[in-house]
Amino acid sequence: MFKTPEQFAAANKASVDAMLTLANTALASAERIAALNLNTARSMLEDGVANAKAMLGAKDPQEFFSVQASLAQPSLEKAVAYTRSVYEISAQSKEEISKLLEAQFADFQKQTLGLLEKAAKNAPVGSDVAVSAVKSAISAATSAFDSMNKAAKQVADIAEANVAAATNATVKAVGATAANAKK
């Protein structure tokens, strides 16, 4: 497959670089999630203390429930923001990994076709049918890979739209409930 040690070394270097890129993407994503979790925990602690103080400051049960209802909306909005942030980090990481895998697949396909062309030049007479069959199989695999990518992207887009719609509906429902509780 490789004619010279330089070609072998270059292929190994490319593989190592791809794995390092994949590892760095995963670690960067984990780092962002950890920072988000730490900031969220800090914010929840501060909000919990402030909310407890606000509810303890109520002079009667009606005021207590009114304060409690008014605190529900901001808490839900923060939970939704946290969920969106986690989703965005995950989606960005998935996109980076997908691009890397697509590039690796394209490179593999290019190398395979190059080797096939070299083999076809040195192949005995009459082997054109076999070479054409292999090229056709590679073309079919590429088409299937592209179709899977398109379908996965469509599913992700639909899921994202559904999550956004459900999130907005939940926030509105809690807001309406809180407004009714104040009355």
Side-chain angles (χ1 to χ4, degrees):
M1 184 170 175
F2 299 106
K3 293 186 176 188
T4 65
E6 291 82 18
Q7 288 176 321
F8 183 71
N12 280 340
K13 182 183 181 311
S15 294
V16 169
D17 287 346
M19 289 300 117
L20 284 174
T21 301
L22 185 62
N24 284 333
T25 299
L27 289 173
S29 177
E31 183 179 14
R32 290 175 60 201
I33 292 286
L36 176 65
N37 286 340
L38 182 63
N39 290 334
T40 301
R42 183 179 296 122
S43 175
M44 287 177 60
L45 179 63
E46 292 169 356
D47 290 348
V49 169
N51 292 349
K53 286 180 181 178
M55 288 191 291
L56 290 173
K59 295 175 179 60
D60 57 42
Q62 185 175 356
E63 184 181 350
F64 176 82
F65 289 117
S66 177
V67 168
Q68 185 180 23
S70 70
L71 298 174
Q73 179 76 17
S75 296
L76 179 67
E77 288 173 356
K78 287 180 181 181
V80 167
Y82 170 80
T83 304
R84 282 183 183 155
S85 296
V86 169
Y87 178 79
E88 288 170 3
I89 291 169
S90 299
Q92 183 182 14
S93 296
K94 179 212 139 297
E95 185 68 28
E96 291 174 17
I97 290 170
S98 292
K99 286 179 182 177
L100 176 67
L101 293 177
E102 287 173 9
Q104 288 294 319
F105 181 76
D107 187 47
F108 173 76
Q109 182 185 14
K110 179 181 165 186
Q111 288 179 1
T112 303
L113 288 174
L115 289 173
L116 186 61
E117 290 297 325
K118 287 180 185 177
K121 289 179 184 176
N122 298 326
V125 177
S127 61
D128 296 343
V129 174
V131 171
S132 294
V134 172
K135 283 184 180 180
S136 177
I138 291 172
S139 177
T142 301
S143 178
F145 183 78
D146 290 343
S147 294
M148 280 188 348
N149 272 346
K150 287 178 185 175
K153 287 178 183 176
Q154 288 175 345
V155 167
D157 290 344
I158 290 169
E160 186 174 346
N162 288 340
V163 167
T167 300
N168 289 337
T170 302
V171 169
K172 287 179 184 177
V174 169
T177 302
N180 288 337
K182 286 182 183 179
K183 292 178 183 178

